[in-house]
Amino acid sequence: MEKRFWNEYQKEIADDHYFYERSCIRQTFFPGSEAAFLRILRDELGKDICDNPHQHTCTGIGYHSDVVPFETTMTVVARLFSLMTECGYENYVPSCVTSFGVFSEVLEKWEHNPALMDQARQYLWEATKREFKTPKNIVHPSDVIYKFRFELKPRMKYQLINRYTGQPLRVVEHIGCHYAKIFPDRGIGKAEFPYVLAGMIEAWGGTVIDYPERRHCCGFGFRQYLIQENRGYSIANTKKKFQSMEPYEPDFILTNCPGCNMFLDKWQYTIAEMEHKTYDKEGYGIPVLTYEELTGLLLGYDPWTLGLQLHQVQCEPLLNKIGIVYKPDEKYKGISGRLLPRPERPECLRQD
Amino acid sequence: MKNFGFTISTGRSINLDEIREENISKLLEMVPSYKWCIGCGGCTATCSAGAFTNFNIRKIHNSFVRGQYQGLDKELQQCMLCGKCLLVCPRGVNTRSLIVNMRRILAGVEANTFKGKEVIQ
Ligand code: SF4
Ligand code: SF4
């Protein structure tokens, strides 16, 4: 049998009692994902997870764009830890790969230089009169879903099988640079053999595409993106990935990080607008899902409650392939039951 | 097309398969001293043509050996053949000859016409 190197490296993932920290951009662009994660943990797995309303940014985007100094980041992180401590939790779960990288970096620095931690304690005390303990376990939400992927499977209504052909769906996975490239031992399978998303795909019936640019950046890159004139570099990275995955004809892309999800999804529209090119055969674009959305879909959650209508590349062809039942006329129905205005349709991307 | 305020940057990756080895051996045959080049960029720094335009002689001979031929012939026309670069090269590369012979190779002139001598001094 082929040797699976990732097997050699697994990380410790707490069993229960998590403190959840929400992502800044995920709330805006893929708003159903975090609600789905909480529902999966509470209703499907019966876990205890705290969703504290007093949380805030981790400063990640500002920090990696060189506008927020490390001392500020450290103090903001210390405040988040103080919320966790106040609620009586020890297992920290930040809903974003960037945050996960920031927390790992801060903790690593404190470990090697305890004077920095004292400094953060002092800043936090002076600013807020708060105190904190460091978490015992810090994992990304995808790690938690990965850990319980086989427990979730029997509860799932659908599998990653193409119902027209009976073949496993072909999936591109993207774990995001800050998940395992900064501190390889914090990611399942380390940076070279990332298995966190691949493990879910394989467990739920799909196959993972191992294409040449699999480990390449999604194109976010923080600073490259923030200045409009520099976005050509950002989109060039994303294009490189699409060109590399195109011959393998993926059915969809699964992402780990809110930023990657946004760029792999929305840049498809921009490239189509600029170069009249899509990377699927039919001109729809390749659907991009978060791992929470995928888990929710397979569990039978309503695609519109999961917020799939807010993606740039529309997901109906994928839903049809899996055989997911959905109501097309409820796509733009708000929570109140009232129909919301339909968004403008781009001419360069096909939609049904 | 919508104006997004930016365009998609093109990759700077070097495709080794595009290198035509016969071009490099031709060049080395015509300008044997080019073997000694260490890529210091002294030639570029002293070049008068480069002071007023984006002409960059080191970049050009680098691109030539990397097989990135596109647009090189046109770029090479900007050289005035003054020979200042030749005076500063710490390795004694006959840069002026290098330029003339790169032009010849790119124009498809056969190497053995000039065999054994560094043409144009
Ligand atoms: S000055 Fe001479 S050694 Fe330096 S890059 Fe130019 S040719 Fe090469
Ligand atoms: S010979 Fe050409 S490359 Fe050399 S200094 Fe003169 S103009 Fe520049």
Side-chain angles (χ1 to χ4, degrees), chain A residues 113-323:
Chain A
N113 186 354
L116 273 180
M117 174 146 72
D118 296 340
Q119 199 184 36
R121 283 192 192 286
Q122 186 200 335
Y123 290 155
L124 184 68
W125 180 256
E126 282 169 12
T128 66
K129 299 281 177 289
R130 299 180 77 92
E131 288 176 304
F132 68 93
K133 284 189 196 144
T134 52
K136 272 214 175 109
N137 185 244
I138 173 158
V139 291
H140 193 254
S142 55
D143 295 331
V144 180
I145 300 224
Y146 169 86
K147 184 180 171 87
F148 296 113
R149 67 198 186 285
F150 294 115
E151 279 86 336
L152 287 167
K153 193 179 158 111
R155 307 179 71 87
M156 287 181 167
K157 274 196 179 163
Y158 306 103
Q159 282 202 58
L160 288 175
I161 304 282
N162 185 329
R163 73 172 166 138
Y164 302 119
T165 63
Q167 295 297 312
L169 287 183
R170 303 166 52 72
V171 191
V172 155
E173 51 84 81
H174 181 81
I175 58 156
C177 298
H178 292 198
Y179 174 71
K181 282 189 198 161
I182 307 179
F183 300 105
D185 61 344
R186 311 271 161 101
I188 294 162
K190 291 198 176 175
E192 286 298 304
F193 300 97
Y195 196 63
V196 61
L197 300 178
M200 294 179 208
I201 295 163
E202 287 181 0
W204 300 337
T207 44
V208 178
I209 296 174
D210 194 12
Y211 65 111
E213 298 296 352
R214 184 173 171 188
R215 291 164 186 84
H216 195 83
C217 168
C218 70
F220 188 174
F222 302 89
R223 240 185 350 181
Q224 287 97 305
Y225 178 74
L226 289 183
I227 297 173
Q228 189 187 37
E229 285 76 2
N230 285 351
R231 288 180 192 162
Y233 297 117
S234 167
I235 197 166
N237 279 284
T238 324
K239 183 177 163 184
K240 192 179 179 127
K241 278 186 85 78
F242 289 137
Q243 283 174 324
S244 171
M245 70 177 79
E246 185 183 15
Y248 300 87
E249 299 180 16
D251 291 302
F252 69 98
I253 301 170
L254 184 64
T255 62
N256 206 18
C257 172
C260 306
N261 202 68
M262 176 173 138
F263 282 85
L264 289 168
D265 185 31
K266 307 220 185 285
W267 274 155
Q268 289 194 62
Y269 156 73
T270 315
I271 295 174
E273 192 75 72
M274 284 177 161
E275 300 189 336
H276 309 291
K277 167 82 187 148
T278 60
Y279 293 90
D280 64 324
K281 279 191 174 150
E282 290 85 22
Y284 290 98
I286 309 169
V288 187
L289 297 182
T290 68
Y291 54 88
E292 299 104 321
E293 286 166 349
L294 176 70
T295 318
L297 276 180
L298 298 184
L299 284 165
Y301 297 1
D302 175 40
W304 313 140
T305 310
L306 286 169
L308 295 193
Q309 65 278 54
L310 295 165
H311 287 229
Q312 183 70 62
V313 175
Q314 297 301 301
C315 61
E316 282 91 338
L318 175 67
L319 300 181
N320 295 338
K321 259 185 219 167
I322 306 178

Side-chain angles (χ1 to χ4, degrees), chain B residues 33-34 36-46 57-59 61-62 85-86 88-95 98:
Chain B
S33 57
Y34 185 49
W36 304 325
C37 171
I38 49 169
C40 67
C43 46
T44 291
T46 200
I57 180 61
R58 178 178 61 170
K59 189 172 163 198
H61 58 73
N62 250 330
C85 49
L86 197 136
V88 299
C89 175
R91 306 288 290 170
V93 177
N94 190 343
T95 42
L98 191 69

Side-chain angles (χ1 to χ4, degrees), chain B residues 43 46-49 55 57 79-85 96 99:
Chain B
C43 46
T46 200
C47 172
S48 313
F55 176 63
I57 180 61
C79 168
M80 311 177 282
L81 298 179
C82 67
K84 263 170 80 183
C85 49
R96 190 167 52 178
I99 292 158

